[in-house]
Amino acid sequence: MKKYIKKRFIDLIPILIGISFLSFLLMYLSPNDPAQLMLSANGQAYTKEQLNIVRENLGLNEPFLKQYFSWALGCLHGDFGTSYITGKPVSETLLNALWPTIQLSITSLIFTLVISIPLGILSAVKKNKVADYIIRIFSFIGSAVPGFLLALILIYVFSIKLGVLPAYGNNKQYSIVMPTITLGLGMTCKYIRQVRASILEELNKPYVLGARSRGVKESTVIYLNVLKNSMLTISTLIGLSFGSLLGGTCIVETIFMWPGLGKLSIDAILKRDYLLIQGYTVWIAVAFVIINLMTDLVYRYIDPRIKLGKEED
C-alpha cells in the first residue's frame, strides 16, 4: 500500500507543476501591474519612482522563469506570498477561509447521502411504480433548478417571510442551514439517479437471484449485498463532490456571504489579487489530487479485485 501511494504521488507531481506554471503564467500575462494595484490599495497617489521601487521589492523586474521558480519554491515551504491588496500572507488567508468551506462541505454531503441513498434504493426497488415515478420527477426538477435561484427562494421564504433563518454570514445559529440545503439538494437529485442505476444493475445479477431463491430476506439482500456492491459508484460520487466542495462553491458562498474559499476567490478576482488567485488555484489542484488518491484507496478496500489487478500489472 505504501508503495502504491508513493507511486501515485510521483505520478501526480508533473500535474501539480503544470497547474502551478499555467496559473502563474496567466497572472504574469495579465495587463494589470501588481505594483500599481498594491499602491492603489492604499488610496494614495504615487510617483513613478515609488512604483519602480515597489516593483523592485516585489521582484517584478526579474525574468519570468526566475519569478516563477522563486514563487514555486516558496509554495513548497507553504509560503504563497503576501497579498498585494490586503498585505496579509496568502497562506493565512486561505487557511482562515478553509474551515468554513470544510464545514459547509461536510454538512452538504451528509444532507445529500441521508436523502439520496434511501430514495435511490426505494426508486430502484419500486421500479416503474408510483414511488419510482415520484422520486424520478423530483430528481429531474431538482437538477433543473439553478443553485442561485434556489438560494434566493430559500432566503425569501425562510428569512424574509418567516424570519426563522439568517440570510447571510456564519456568525449566527443555524446560519449553515440554507447554504447546506442549496448545495445538498442539487447533489441529492444527481445522486438519486446514480444510486438508482447502480442498484438496478446489481439487482439483475445472478447472486441476487441466488440469495432470493435461498429464502434470504429482501432487506438483507438489498442492504448487505446490493448496497455494498454499489459502494464503488457512491464512493466515486462522494470523492468528486467533496473535491468540488473543498474548492469552494463560489455562487452559493457569495449569495449567503459565507466566508469560505469560494467567496474568497470571487473577491480576489474582483480585486485582481493575483497572488491570492494563484494560491487558490494551487489549493484546488492539491485538494483534487488528494481526494482522487483517497478515492482510489477506498476502491482497493471495497473491492479486493481492483487491488489484485493493480498488483498483477
Side-chain angles (χ1 to χ4, degrees), residues 61-88:
N61 294 328
E62 301 290 344
F64 167 74
L65 288 178
K66 186 173 182 179
Q67 291 186 45
Y68 169 71
F69 283 118
S70 177
W71 174 75
L73 184 62
C75 291
L76 291 176
H77 293 85
D79 181 13
F80 292 93
T82 302
S83 169
Y84 297 137
I85 306 301
T86 63
K88 297 180 180 179

Side-chain angles (χ1 to χ4, degrees), residues 198 200-210 229 305:
S198 180
L200 285 175
E201 182 181 355
E202 292 295 326
L203 287 174
N204 293 323
K205 291 184 177 180
Y207 77 88
V208 175
L209 180 61
N229 291 329
R305 293 172 299 179

